[in-house]
Amino acid sequence: MNLVDILFYIFAIVTLVSAGITVYSRNIIYSAFSLLFTFCGVAGIYVLLNADFIAVAQILIYVGGILMLLVFGVMLTHKVINVEIKTGILNIIPGSMITAIVGGTLCGIFMSTDWLIIEGVPPIKSTTNEIGTMFMTKYLLPFEIASVVLLVALIGAAYIARRDKTSKQSV
Amino acid sequence: MEQLLRNIFDNNIFVFTVTAILPLIWIVPYALVAIWLERKISAHMQDRLGPMRTGGWHGWSQTIADMLKLLQKEDIVPAAADKILFNLAPYIIFIAAYAAYAAIPFSSAYIGADINVGIFYIIAVTSLAVVGILMGGWASNNKWSLFGAMRAAAQIVSYEIPSVLAVLAVVMIAGTLSLQEINNLQTGWFWNWYVFQKFPFIFVAFIIYFIAALAEVNRVPFDIPEAESELVAGYVTEYSGMKFAMFMFAEFVNMFAVSAIAATLFFGGWNSPFGDFLGGPIWGVFWFLSKGMVLVSIQMWLRWTLPRLRVDQLMYVSWKVLTPFAFACVIAVGLWMML
């Protein structure tokens, strides 16, 4: 087992264990914070796959953005500390059916894929330039659509958050 | 550097460990001196003497004595605190502060990891600190801690935008995200430094970056997260002993990190200001650390000169002043480059 293998198993264990805590923890704040380790573990696996830009973007967007939003949301929730998350068994038949379909599909893809094993990992080349070029040429339309969606979300957030001047006068 | 170590030791794991630990050799003595310096500077600015007794000459060993005292203190965890998160938070904050050093070039021969996405990586890992702050503030189970943590998180997230835009202006000229490459592009006399390029847009970008960086490391005038007159000590209120020392250490490590990034992006990093005068890898370390320390001193000077901003003024500065100017810089630099 060489260094890359050891690192892969470390990242995989970190990802899986922390994801398990997220799902099974009864304390909602532990679930939120253990996502930090899940995101970092996934970023580590991206690095091992030579996707440096995506790994960093993963940390920037998921840890810096989404996790922050989640933690804020959890903290602003009423009664964070002593809330017991109720777990009960509901909708057994549709639930198990959906699980079986999703799990079966994933296993099927996993088994049927011809996994490519590269001996001797090549040194990491810069992917940033290629990603930028692709965005501006081949994938220009999806890129622009994503920008417009984000802009709409931004304007929507500003509209919801802005001070309502009419209701202030009536009070 | 890495190649040299590999030639000597012939063991990958050992070489990686040594490369990873090297910045600590600088930041531990730096933090000890910087804390003492801050106390002396604040004292002289306020017409006092500051620590004078410990160690003889101007109380130079005061921080070392404080460090020994903090090491011997009892490790107190408040009864109502969330024990796991309370103990974990100082580590996360220190990891976030130290992780940035992986991509900072100390000299032409030494950089922790010469990755192609260097500056992007630094921006990403510094956002980990917010998680640590929120964790510590929440786990302390104290109103002041939680308020401080909330303010810190809101402040850091807001000020990330102007600082990233200011960095983007430099990256546009350089055409690379690797900090070592950016340094190589600024070799020569000091007018090659990016701060003097595309005048005055990059200079304005530097000012924006520096102001935003002050806010990101929670320094005065942006220190409302730990405003002692209203919040006791913000998110560190419940921490004592070595855990408090970790927070303090991380703050000073962060101060140098943002200064080092500013020095690398705008002031040529390890390049000598006078062409080949005192050039080379060894002197490079000297130039780099000097530039960083000058910027750290400016942070200290500002801290004891300016009053604290209110929360609404803080948000006003970020969203209505820095962000539009940063956008203007990016657009102006872009247009200039197209000409």
Side-chain angles (χ1 to χ4, degrees):
Chain A
M1 219 155 67
N2 60 23
L3 196 62
V4 177
D5 287 341
I6 298 168
L7 284 175
F8 171 76
Y9 283 111
I10 291 172
F11 286 132
I13 289 166
V14 166
T15 311
L16 288 178
V17 169
S18 59
I21 294 172
T22 305
V23 176
Y24 292 111
S25 169
R26 283 182 169 253
N27 189 336
I28 194 162
I29 203 96
Y30 286 169
S31 301
F33 278 125
S34 83
L35 268 179
L36 167 69
F37 299 98
T38 316
F39 292 147
C40 290
V42 172
I45 290 173
Y46 277 131
V47 172
L48 293 180
L49 290 170
N50 277 5
D52 53 354
F53 190 84
I54 296 174
V56 177
Q58 157 88 13
I59 291 185
L60 189 69
I61 292 165
Y62 281 89
V63 177
I66 290 174
L67 181 63
M68 211 55 56
L69 207 65
L70 251 165
V71 171
F72 259 101
V74 169
M75 282 182 173
L76 295 174
T77 314
H78 201 51
K79 280 191 276 181
V80 188
I81 306 161
N82 293 323
V83 66
E84 273 289 300
I85 300 171
K86 285 191 192 121
T87 45
I89 300 167
L90 303 161
N91 297 331
I92 302 173
I93 299 165
S96 50
M97 271 170 66
I98 291 170
T99 315
I101 292 167
V102 173
T105 318
L106 285 176
C107 285
I109 292 169
F110 189 76
M111 301 304 268
S112 64
T113 305
D114 184 19
W115 294 99
L116 199 63
I117 297 162
I118 302 169
E119 288 297 330
V121 185
I124 295 180
K125 288 198 298 283
S126 175
T127 53
T128 319
N129 289 341
E130 274 132 77
I131 290 172
T133 314
M134 282 304 215
F135 269 148
M136 282 294 132
T137 53
K138 200 175 172 189
Y139 300 102
L140 185 61
L141 189 65
F143 180 66
E144 287 299 328
I145 289 172
S147 329
V148 171
V149 169
L150 287 174
L151 184 65
V152 169
L154 206 69
I155 294 170
Y159 179 75
I160 292 167
R162 98 189 163 131
R163 197 179 293 140
D164 198 349
K165 281 174 187 161
T166 49
S167 67
K168 200 183 168 190
Q169 283 168 351
S170 64
V171 175
Chain B
M1 186 78 182
E2 208 183 313
Q3 198 56 48
L4 179 81
L5 283 172
R6 199 160 280 160
N7 289 342
I8 301 170
F9 296 112
D10 192 38
N11 180 344
N12 262 334
I13 295 171
F14 186 76
V15 171
F16 289 147
T17 315
V18 170
T19 322
I21 285 172
L22 270 177
L24 264 183
I25 296 173
W26 159 247
I27 63 174
V28 171
Y30 147 76
L32 289 177
V33 173
I35 291 170
W36 175 74
L37 258 182
E38 173 135 87
R39 297 176 69 175
K40 293 304 273 189
I41 288 174
S42 73
H44 286 291
M45 282 193 173
Q46 296 163 352
D47 218 1
R48 295 184 285 119
L49 286 172
M52 285 298 284
R53 291 171 196 277
T54 322
W57 186 77
H58 283 263
W60 65 272
S61 63
Q62 183 63 51
T63 324
I64 299 168
D66 285 346
M67 195 74 186
L68 288 173
K69 186 194 80 175
L70 285 171
L71 270 171
Q72 295 167 42
K73 279 205 164 187
E74 188 192 350
D75 183 35
I76 300 169
V77 179
D82 189 317
K83 285 178 189 56
I84 301 171
L85 295 181
F86 186 83
N87 289 324
L88 191 62
Y91 295 101
I92 303 253
I93 287 180
F94 182 70
I95 288 170
Y98 191 59
Y101 283 80
I104 294 176
F106 276 69
S107 122
S108 51
Y110 174 71
I111 177 169
D114 190 10
I115 46 178
N116 293 309
V117 287
I119 183 66
F120 191 41
Y121 160 82
I122 290 176
I123 290 164
V125 289
T126 43
S127 67
L128 279 175
V130 191
V131 182
I133 289 171
L134 277 175
M135 199 182 265
W138 187 85
S140 300
N141 207 354
N142 176 320
K143 289 190 191 79
W144 291 308
S145 300
L146 189 57
F147 267 123
M150 289 295 211
R151 284 182 181 185
Q155 176 176 319
I156 293 172
V157 170
S158 311
Y159 277 85
E160 247 172 28
I161 293 160
S163 88
V164 168
L165 285 171
V167 169
L168 186 64
V170 174
V171 169
M172 275 165 69
I173 312 182
T176 174
L177 290 167
S178 156
L179 285 175
Q180 196 68 287
E181 272 298 301
I182 288 174
N183 267 346
N184 284 327
L185 290 167
Q186 298 178 74
T187 312
W189 287 71
F190 59 85
W191 53 77
N192 284 345
W193 294 352
Y194 280 142
V195 73
F196 301 119
Q197 304 284 308
K198 308 267 185 284
F199 197 81
F201 298 112
I202 299 297
F203 188 75
V204 174
F206 163 67
I207 302 285
I208 292 169
Y209 176 79
F210 198 70
I211 296 173
L214 279 179
E216 281 185 49
V217 296
N218 297 331
R219 298 281 299 181
V220 178
F222 305 103
D223 75 329
I224 55 159
E226 39 192 284
E228 61 271 17
S229 47
E230 41 186 306
L231 286 181
V232 187
Y235 51 87
V236 290
T237 305
E238 294 287 355
Y239 283 93
S240 60
M242 265 328 273
K243 285 189 205 124
F244 168 76
M246 290 276 268
F247 276 99
M248 196 72 181
F249 188 43
E251 186 190 323
F252 277 85
V253 169
N254 263 331
M255 266 170 76
F256 187 77
V258 294
S259 304
I261 294 160
T264 309
L265 289 176
F266 299 100
F267 293 97
W270 40 259
N271 283 305
S272 160
F274 312 109
D276 287 334
F277 174 70
L278 299 183
I282 311 274
W283 280 105
V285 178
F286 165 75
W287 289 117
F288 170 76
L289 297 182
S290 316
K291 287 168 188 172
M293 284 310 286
V294 168
L295 291 171
V296 167
S297 316
I298 293 175
Q299 290 187 30
M300 289 178 183
W301 170 31
L302 288 175
R303 170 164 183 179
W304 300 103
T305 321
L306 297 175
R308 184 180 293 142
L309 291 179
R310 281 202 318 263
V311 180
D312 60 322
Q313 291 169 333
L314 186 94
M315 289 299 156
Y316 176 86
V317 169
S318 170
W319 293 104
K320 293 191 175 169
V321 181
L322 294 183
T323 309
F325 274 101
F327 266 118
C329 275
V330 169
I331 292 167
V333 170
L335 286 176
W336 191 324
M337 288 179 69
M338 275 164 61
L339 290 176

